[in-house]
């Protein structure tokens, strides 16, 4: 900062006072910039100036004192900025952690974790006499394997969708340049190998085969020359199979096997598997709603690009309403298997919230922000069902 003034006799006349920021203050942290501006504003020594442009000797002394305080504040801000960037290794680790988390697509991780926890809880509720603490480690290893499988599938998709993601999802780490393609390949190969080893070691050949089937379907969904995501019907069937049937059936089967029981469908598990498989179809259809611009640019054929955003939003909402009507009917006609006092009002409330959200989307005229909010709401409904499941 530079202060320029001239003085002659008392009273002192200061014809010009100029403040110029130097490059050392131009660091990128917004908060520090805000702190600096607040300090300058608070200590602005120009407030000592007389409207006529003349200062008394006393006021001139005050101005100089305020200038010194400003200098101290500036040095403090500058030192904070320097301290924050003094360790490049820590900065790189922090940046990688952020890119890694975005690479995993957190909303899919939440769905996988909630689904597996919900099904394990249900199996334990059905057989409380078989609960042992030794099962906890096995359950955690199964959850880790599922997260690895999830990471592989969403990761391989990002590697082959860089161009599309730069249009549709520029915040994803590869598209944003925060994660190199080479690093992404290392991560997905690690996920695949680690997941298979964990499942093979802990859950036997049948569950391992189901797990590998899920990885295979996730691969052909994204990787040329298959790239099944180009074909709308095949694409949403793959998503429904992996996230709907394989996850629910596989986790429930593995849990019963760990309890020493043969696999047997129960009414609640048959319900949640059917419910979530249809829900996964809706997710597969509506996931393309925010991506219409990029899909059209890269000639990716989806239901959203073919039928239009409005039609797909109404189709997805209609299918989910069928799900909720089915849940209410199941509680009414199979009262011995379900708690109607909980199942009926909660699903009616979720259905009404879906209708309201669809109305909001229509009212917003299907802007990109409204479409993204609607898609996030669909995922929240998905999470809600798994949270309710152990108690219905």
């Amino acid at each position: 900062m530079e202060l320029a003034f001239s003085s002659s006799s008392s009273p002192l006349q200061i014809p010009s006072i100029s403040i110029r920021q130097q490059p050392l203050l131009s660091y990128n942290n917004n908060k520090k910039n805000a702190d600096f501006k607040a300090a300058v504003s608070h200590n602005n020594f120009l407030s000592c100036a007389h409207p006529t442009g003349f200062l008394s000797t006393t006021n001139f002394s005050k101005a100089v004192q305020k200038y010194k305080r400003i200098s101290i504040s500036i040095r403090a801000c500058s030192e904070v900025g320097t301290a924050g960037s003094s360790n490049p290794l820590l900065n790189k680790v922090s940046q990688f952690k952020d890119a890694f988390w975005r690479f995993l697509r957190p909303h899919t991780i939440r769905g996988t974790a909630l689904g597996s926890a919900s099904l394990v809880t249900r199996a334990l509720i059905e057989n409380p006499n078989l609960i042992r603490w030794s099962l906890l480690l096995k359950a955690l290893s199964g959850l880790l394997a599922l997260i690895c499988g999830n990471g592989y599938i969403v990761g391989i998709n990002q590697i082959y969708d860089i161009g599309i993601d730069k249009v549709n999802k520029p915040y994803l780490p590869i598209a944003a340049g925060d994660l190199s393609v080479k690093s992404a390949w290392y991560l997905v190969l690690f996920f695949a190998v680690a997941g298979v080893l964990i499942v093979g070691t802990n859950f036997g050949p049948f569950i391992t085969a189901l797990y590998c089937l899920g990885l295979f379907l996730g691969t052909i969904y994204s990787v040329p020359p298959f790239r099944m995501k180009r074909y709308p019907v095949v694409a949403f069937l793959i998503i429904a199979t992996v996230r709907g049937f394989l996850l629910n059936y596989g986790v429930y089967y593995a849990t019963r096997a760990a309890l020493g029981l043969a696999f047997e469908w129960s009414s609640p598990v048959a319900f949640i598997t059917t419910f979530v498989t249809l829900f996964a179809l809706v997710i597969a259809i509506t996931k393309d709603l925010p991506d219409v611009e990029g899909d059209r640019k890269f000639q990716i054929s989806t239901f959203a690009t073919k039928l239009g955003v409005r039609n797909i939003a109404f189709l997805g909402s209609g299918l989910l309403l069928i799900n909720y009507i089915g849940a209410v009917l199941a509680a009414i006609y199979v009262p011995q298997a379900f708690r109607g006092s909980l199942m009926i009002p909660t699903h009616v409330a979720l259905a009404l919230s879906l209708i309201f959200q669809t109305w909001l989307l229509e009212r917003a005229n299907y802007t990109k922000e409204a479409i993204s909010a609607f898609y996030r709401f669909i995922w929240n409904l998905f999470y809600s069902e798994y949270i309710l499941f152990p108690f219905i």
Side-chain angles (χ1 to χ4, degrees):
M1 174 175 288
E2 183 178 290
L3 174 68
F5 60 88
S6 61
S7 63
S8 53
S9 59
S10 183
L12 297 170
Q13 183 177 12
I14 301 181
S16 63
I17 298 178
S18 63
I19 299 175
R20 184 168 66 238
Q21 293 184 24
Q22 300 297 334
L24 63 88
L25 297 174
S26 59
Y27 42 84
N28 291 326
N29 190 305
N30 291 333
K31 186 179 184 304
K32 294 167 187 142
N33 280 332
D35 292 341
F36 164 68
K37 291 175 182 176
V40 172
S41 176
H42 179 71
N43 295 289
N44 194 343
F45 60 87
L46 292 177
S47 63
C48 294
H50 191 276
T52 63
F54 290 90
L55 294 175
S56 67
T57 303
T58 302
N59 283 345
F60 175 75
S61 299
K62 290 181 180 179
V64 172
Q65 290 172 4
K66 287 201 172 187
Y67 164 68
K68 290 178 180 179
R69 287 199 296 271
I70 293 170
S71 299
I72 293 170
S73 297
I74 293 169
R75 282 198 301 271
C77 289
S78 183
E79 287 168 4
V80 170
T82 303
S85 58
S86 62
N87 195 328
L89 179 60
L90 288 179
N91 287 342
K92 287 182 179 179
V93 170
S94 177
Q95 290 167 4
F96 178 77
K97 283 168 58 181
D98 174 68
F100 177 74
W101 183 238
R102 283 181 284 136
F103 185 69
L104 287 177
R105 305 305 304 278
H107 67 284
T108 64
I109 292 288
R110 285 191 288 270
T112 300
L114 275 173
S116 59
S118 180
L119 286 154
V120 169
T121 302
R122 184 70 206 185
L124 295 178
I125 288 173
E126 293 173 350
N127 303 278
N129 57 311
L130 299 178
I131 297 176
R132 303 186 306 275
W133 281 109
S134 59
L135 294 173
L136 179 61
L137 184 60
K138 199 161 191 174
L140 291 176
S141 68
L143 177 59
L144 180 60
L146 288 172
I147 291 174
C148 284
N150 194 102
Y152 170 81
I153 292 173
V154 299
I156 204 78
N157 180 257
Q158 291 174 67
I159 290 172
Y160 284 96
D161 275 8
I162 298 175
I164 299 173
D165 288 341
K166 285 182 178 179
V167 178
N168 292 336
K169 302 180 181 77
Y171 54 85
L172 291 179
I174 305 178
D178 298 329
L179 186 70
S180 68
V181 174
K182 183 178 180 181
S183 298
W185 270 113
Y186 283 139
L187 286 173
V188 296
L189 291 174
F190 169 78
F191 288 145
V193 173
V196 171
L197 287 176
I198 292 171
V199 174
T201 303
N202 292 279
F203 298 100
F206 179 67
I207 294 298
T208 303
L210 289 181
Y211 187 86
C212 290
L213 175 60
L215 296 185
F216 172 74
L217 292 175
T219 301
I220 65 172
Y221 177 84
S222 299
V223 177
F226 308 102
R227 202 153 169 78
M228 294 301 178
K229 67 176 295 178
R230 295 175 297 172
Y231 311 107
V233 174
V234 179
F236 75 69
L237 286 176
I238 287 176
I239 293 173
T241 300
V242 174
R243 186 161 287 283
F245 178 76
L246 288 180
L247 175 65
N248 290 272
Y249 173 76
V251 169
Y252 189 67
Y253 182 101
T255 305
R256 286 185 65 87
L259 293 172
L261 301 171
F263 178 79
E264 180 180 310
W265 286 106
S266 66
S267 295
V269 174
F271 160 76
I272 195 65
T273 302
T274 304
F275 189 100
V276 171
T277 300
L278 183 56
F279 212 122
L281 284 175
V282 174
I283 289 175
I285 293 170
T286 57
K287 78 177 184 62
D288 298 316
L289 291 177
D291 300 341
V292 169
E293 181 183 351
D295 289 339
R296 283 175 178 161
K297 181 177 179 179
F298 288 88
Q299 298 180 336
I300 300 293
S301 177
T302 67
F303 281 115
T305 58
K306 285 186 171 184
L307 302 179
V309 171
R310 185 176 187 272
N311 291 333
I312 293 303
F314 274 92
L315 175 61
S317 297
L319 290 174
L320 288 184
L321 286 176
I322 291 173
N323 244 357
Y324 291 128
I325 292 170
V328 171
L329 293 177
I332 293 172
Y333 288 102
V334 194
Q336 68 274 17
F338 301 102
R339 293 179 181 172
S341 58
L342 175 65
M343 193 165 176
I344 293 173
T346 53
H347 285 91
V348 168
L350 291 173
L352 292 174
S353 68
L354 172 64
I355 293 170
F356 177 70
Q357 194 70 28
T358 307
W359 175 77
L360 287 179
L361 181 62
E362 174 81 11
R363 190 180 179 187
N365 201 26
Y366 300 91
T367 62
K368 189 167 184 176
E369 293 75 15
I371 292 170
S372 297
F374 178 75
Y375 182 60
R376 288 193 299 270
F377 179 77
I378 296 297
W379 272 97
N380 288 334
L381 291 178
F382 186 75
Y383 304 147
S384 299
E385 195 62 33
Y386 272 130
I387 292 171
L388 284 171
F389 173 63
F391 312 104
I392 61 174

